[in-house]
Amino acid sequence: MESHEGQFYDALAALYNDDWGTVYLDTARRLFAAHLQPHLTPNAHLLDLCCGTGQLAAALTADGYRVTGVDLSPGMLAHARINAPAANLVTGEMSTFALDDRFEAALCCFNSLNHARGVRHLIRTLLNVRQHLLPGGYFFADLVLAEGYAHSWNRTATVDVLGGECQMVFRYEPRRQRAYCDATLRLEGQPQVQVRMRQHVFSPKEVYEACASSGLRLESLSPIPGDPPTGRVLLLAQASQMLQP
Ligand SMILES: C[S@@+](CC[C@H](N)C(=O)[O-])C[C@H]1O[C@@H](n2cnc3c(N)ncnc32)[C@H](O)[C@@H]1O
């Protein structure tokens, strides 16, 4: 079963909106307030890359920021348009989206950067982010490292959804640095839908090197505490003051 991440998130958008869209929200807001906000002007224009169903974009616009959200999945963006009506929401791929705006900061939250499909895609994504930042702008993201996948990606889960259920099989392949989620959506009166999502498991060294070769100076790659431990790290990087075209 091969599937494009956009198809996975399109199929599961309603479930994501009802369930997972707020799981990381408090953590993201706390980290934002502690690590990014001190660098921003009050009404800064922010890029929410892989904005999903837009709960973070909604919180940021309520705080007075201007927010542009980019996501691959039209299904996720449809929810984001309801949740975050003040945000500008655009369909786009992380390494190729092209906007005229330049941002004080870009955010990429809740495992989204792990959707880069390997080191080269990560570098292309960081280069694209850097090109959308103002000189000296910040990139704020989280990443799940190998220990996080080892801890939480070998399991199955069945979740009730409106009119049916969704079964998910999570699988981590350490040798290939990949993690998968195979989801089967069974809704009454509808054909069964099977979709796959893949994440890439980057080492800290790969992340350091990808930032360096994308013109982003890594300020920190520090564990985000959690109980149970999440294996998630906060990435904070700054674009140089003298940006190349
Ligand atoms: C785990 S969700 C996180 C959503 C949101 N940031 C949050 O905190 O809830 C990952 C999001 O990344 C998007 N995504 C996956 N691959 C992408 C890509 N290559 N380019 C842009 N968005 C992508 C998905 O559509 C999905 O909305």
Side-chain angles (χ1 to χ4, degrees):
M1 184 187 0
E2 260 313 320
S3 158
H4 193 270
E5 265 66 54
Q7 289 172 331
F8 177 93
Y9 283 100
D10 278 346
L12 271 60
L15 173 59
Y16 195 99
N17 187 49
D18 292 346
D19 233 319
W20 301 317
T22 49
V23 167
Y24 189 67
L25 185 59
D26 287 347
T27 304
R29 295 192 72 183
R30 182 173 51 75
L31 294 170
F32 175 91
H35 298 277
L36 187 57
Q37 198 170 342
H39 300 292
L40 301 176
T41 58
N43 304 113
H45 194 180
L46 306 178
L47 171 66
D48 185 357
L49 182 58
C50 304
C51 64
T53 44
Q55 282 88 349
L56 179 60
L60 293 171
T61 53
D63 287 347
Y65 296 104
R66 286 182 298 140
V67 178
T68 293
V70 171
D71 199 281
L72 191 61
S73 160
M76 297 288 274
L77 286 172
H79 290 280
R81 290 199 171 90
I82 296 166
N83 294 330
N88 173 33
L89 298 163
V90 181
T91 308
E93 199 282 326
M94 57 169 83
S95 66
T96 58
F97 71 90
L99 303 169
D100 291 335
D101 297 303
R102 296 294 174 264
F103 300 88
E104 276 190 38
L107 301 84
C108 189
C109 293
F110 200 19
N111 305 14
S112 297
L113 205 51
N114 290 97
H115 284 302
R117 297 182 77 79
V119 170
R120 276 187 297 185
H121 190 200
L122 179 65
I123 293 172
R124 286 201 304 276
T125 299
L126 297 183
L127 274 170
N128 197 27
V129 165
R130 205 251 308 151
Q131 279 164 4
H132 283 84
L133 289 175
L134 290 165
Y138 281 85
F139 182 49
F140 167 97
D142 63 83
L143 266 163
V144 181
L145 300 181
E147 46 273 39
Y149 289 97
H151 182 267
S152 61
W153 275 70
N154 284 310
R155 63 189 173 91
T156 60
T158 303
V159 187
D160 289 335
V161 294
L162 194 64
E165 62 169 32
C166 181
Q167 188 193 54
M168 281 165 288
V169 180
F170 294 88
R171 184 164 48 87
Y172 169 43
E173 291 185 8
R175 208 176 43 80
R176 302 176 72 203
Q177 292 181 258
R178 285 182 187 173
Y180 297 91
C181 174
D182 289 323
T184 306
L185 195 59
R186 295 187 191 88
L187 299 179
E188 218 171 289
Q190 292 187 30
Q192 175 174 294
V193 174
Q194 286 189 294
V195 279
R196 167 171 290 178
M197 175 259 275
R198 180 180 120 187
Q199 298 193 356
H200 194 88
V201 186
F202 296 99
S203 69
K205 182 172 179 283
E206 288 170 332
V207 178
Y208 276 106
E209 290 174 356
C211 285
S213 53
S214 316
L216 288 169
R217 190 172 56 82
L218 192 59
E219 290 214 339
S220 74
L221 193 65
S222 46
I224 300 173
D227 182 21
T230 57
R232 196 174 279 122
V233 288
L234 172 69
L235 184 166
L236 188 67
Q238 190 182 19
S240 77
Q241 296 286 346
M242 306 270 292
L243 288 186
Q244 311 288 322

